[in-house]
Each structure stands twice: as structure tokens, then as C-alpha cells.
Amino acid sequence: MIDVNAIRKDFPVLERRVHDHQLVYLDNAATSLKPWSVIRAMERYYTHDTANIHRGVHFLSEEGTRHFEETRQAVASWINASSTDEIIFTKGTTESINLVAESWGTHFLKSGDVVLLSTLEHHSNIVPWQLATEKVNASVVEVPITEAGDINLQEYKKILERYGRKVKMVAITQISNGLGTVNPIQEMIDLAHDAGALFLVDGAQAIAHTTVDVQKLNCDFYVFSAHKALGPTALGFLYGKKALLEKMPPYQGGGDMIDVVTFAKTTYNDLPHKFEAGTPPIAEGIAFKAAIEYLQTI
């Protein structure tokens, strides 16, 4: 039995009064509240552990790197990835989708190819694909929904049959942020693979509300944001199958994603760091482990 009153005490903002009433918060689809454990983890980094990570050889840097990478391990375990190499830190769901659309889409989509999206998609899972397909003369095709707000599976099957091997990617939300529709994502993935297409799951709304097992789903990419799962803002994750990530070129250039830099030629770091240019959101990254642990306790 869940003790709701005890849980409320874990979220300090719920102590606020608004218009003479105790705060009621119903906007988790936009962002979730943060428990004390997450807030204190961020505070601890800034008050005791501040240092850049991955590139320093002093104590604080090495300690910060270890804590940051522990979050990567926690995420990999949480969603059952086969390796931490498949977990990429990003700024959020939006950047994760943009990364795939740019790094995979503009390099592997060809003229005449098709990307399938549903009517339910957030614009963050529409615009990146429009930008990518415009660059290569591919196209975005909409999968319609029923009057009840569900994916029209019959139409989805017909579209896959109509375009055949031209469909290279299907990118669909697992749970709609607008309607709350829970899509039959497993069946949709299987159908896409049967048609020869890859599948990206937008898990922004699903990650905090359902068990996610990327190996069982057999999705090719899975994306989500920390801030919709009790974690900090400006942090998200991209799961990608290692074989796909290894073929994709870097999304951005800068520190940490490099191996050797010369003016003649630059070589790139191994996964997952190949896609993590620049100083990451360190405090946020470390604190998200506390969010995962909190969610797992309830």
C-alpha cells in the first residue's frame, strides 16, 4: 500500500500554498516535481564536489566522473540496455531525437525514402524528421488515429504495405503527452521490422509510468527526458543499438567526443562519448541516479 502523505513530504514544493490553498500539481506531462533526494544530490555536487569530469586527473574530477558514470550504469540497468555504450547523455528527448534525425537520418536516408510518424506525435518528434528528410529529398508520412485517439493499426499496416522497403524509420510515442493514449508499441515495432524499417520510441511520457525493457521491445532507439521522471531539467538520454550507433557519425564536435585532434585530421572517441561533445550537465547527471532510485522504491 502506498502512503501518499509520506510521499507528499518527499516533495518540498507541495508545502507551498497557492491562492490560500495547498498546492495541487497536475502538470507532470510537462515536467514532474523533484523529491528531496534529487535536490540534495545536486546541492551536494555544487557544495562539495564541483569539478569537470572525464578529463581531469585530480581527486574531485575522478570522483565526479565515477558518480556521473554510475548514473549511466543505472539508466542502462533501468531500461535493460545490453551495454552502457548504448546510453548517450543528451539535453532531453528533443535533442535525442534531433541527434538521431541528423546523425542517422541525413546519412542513411536517401531520396524517395519514407519516415512514418503518427498524428499523436509531439512537435519534437515531427520537426527534426522534417528537417532531415528535406535535406535528402525523403518524405514524412502520417499514421492516422481513430476518433477515440488511438493509433489506427489497420492504416499503419496499409501504409507499411503501400510504401514497402521505402519506409526506413518509424518514430512513434509510447504514451501520448496530449491524450494519454498508450500505444501498442511492441506490435508496431514488430510490424516495422517485418517491413525492413527501424523504430524509434519517444518514451518521454512512458519512462516514469511503465516498465521499459528495450531488449524486449527490440526498438532501435529509445529516447526520454530526466525532468519528466522526477529528475532535473536539461538532461535526457538516447538509447541506441550499439551496431547502429557505431555506424553513425558524431552529432556535434568538441571536447570529450574526440580521440586525437590535429589540423590535418581528427579521430573520434569510442561509444558512448562519441556523441557527448562538451561539458555535460554534471550535477543533473549525477542527481538523476537519485530519481531512478526513488522511482524504483515506489
Side-chain angles (χ1 to χ4, degrees):
M1 192 72 177
I2 293 176
D3 186 343
V4 175
N5 289 325
I7 290 175
R8 284 182 64 87
K9 292 176 182 178
D10 291 334
F11 294 83
V13 71
L14 292 177
E15 297 299 317
R16 282 199 64 179
R17 295 187 68 82
V18 178
H19 305 307
D20 259 347
H21 295 278
Q22 198 75 31
L23 175 64
V24 175
Y25 187 82
L26 300 174
D27 204 19
N28 287 290
T31 194
S32 60
L33 304 182
K34 322 305 173 193
W36 271 119
S37 58
V38 172
I39 295 167
R40 287 170 177 149
M42 290 189 68
E43 180 184 46
R44 186 164 55 249
Y45 169 78
Y46 283 121
T47 55
H48 295 290
D49 303 325
T50 301
N52 212 327
I53 60 172
H54 291 148
R55 59 196 73 180
V57 294
H58 58 89
F59 176 82
L60 288 180
S61 178
E62 291 183 342
E63 184 179 63
T65 298
R66 176 169 54 82
H67 290 156
F68 191 82
E69 291 301 321
E70 284 174 356
T71 296
R72 195 189 308 273
Q73 293 167 2
V75 170
S77 175
W78 193 31
I79 66 172
N80 194 31
S82 62
S83 166
T84 54
D85 289 347
E86 298 179 322
I87 305 298
I88 312 298
F89 280 79
T90 67
K91 291 187 297 185
T93 302
T94 299
E95 187 182 46
S96 296
I97 296 171
N98 274 275
L99 190 163
V100 177
E102 176 63 27
S103 182
W104 179 86
T106 62
H107 290 84
F108 293 96
L109 288 172
K110 306 298 183 211
S111 178
D113 284 345
V114 171
V115 174
L116 298 189
L117 310 174
S118 82
T119 309
L120 290 170
E121 301 316 305
H122 189 280
H123 52 258
S124 296
N125 197 27
I126 299 174
V127 179
W129 295 109
Q130 291 174 330
L131 292 171
T133 53
E134 285 171 3
K135 291 179 181 178
V136 298
N137 197 33
S139 59
V140 170
V141 173
E142 180 184 358
V143 177
I145 60 175
T146 67
E147 288 186 4
D150 300 317
I151 290 281
N152 190 323
L153 270 178
Q154 293 306 312
E155 285 300 312
Y156 176 60
K157 293 174 183 177
K158 289 178 183 178
I159 291 170
L160 286 172
E161 291 173 2
R162 184 183 313 145
Y163 290 97
R165 296 291 168 171
K166 289 183 179 180
V167 179
K168 295 299 193 293
M169 174 68 75
V170 181
I172 303 286
T173 184
Q174 189 169 5
I175 298 178
S176 165
N177 73 305
L179 300 180
T181 304
V182 180
N183 286 324
I185 208 73
Q186 183 72 75
E187 183 178 359
M188 298 186 77
I189 292 169
D190 293 342
L191 288 167
H193 286 166
D194 289 344
L198 301 181
F199 203 107
L200 178 145
V201 179
D202 176 354
Q205 302 300 334
I207 192 67
H209 299 286
T210 186
T211 300
V212 174
D213 185 331
V214 293
Q215 292 193 71
K216 183 178 179 181
L217 286 173
N218 195 26
C219 56
D220 301 287
F221 300 100
Y222 194 99
V223 300
F224 66 94
S225 298
H227 75 97
K228 296 186 181 185
L230 310 188
T233 56
L235 176 68
F237 296 89
L238 162 65
Y239 158 80
K241 289 180 177 177
K242 188 173 181 179
L244 293 171
L245 293 174
E246 286 178 334
K247 294 176 182 177
M248 292 160 53
Y251 173 56
Q252 295 176 325
D256 217 33
M257 55 72 66
I258 52 90
D259 176 28
V260 176
V261 177
T262 70
F263 281 101
K265 182 174 176 59
T266 293
T267 55
Y268 306 123
N269 207 342
D270 296 329
L271 290 174
H273 306 293
K274 181 175 76 170
F275 292 105
E276 296 177 355
T279 298
I282 303 170
E284 291 81 356
I286 291 172
F288 188 55
K289 182 171 180 281
I292 295 173
E293 290 169 347
Y294 186 91
L295 281 168
Q296 289 176 325
T297 64
I298 57 172

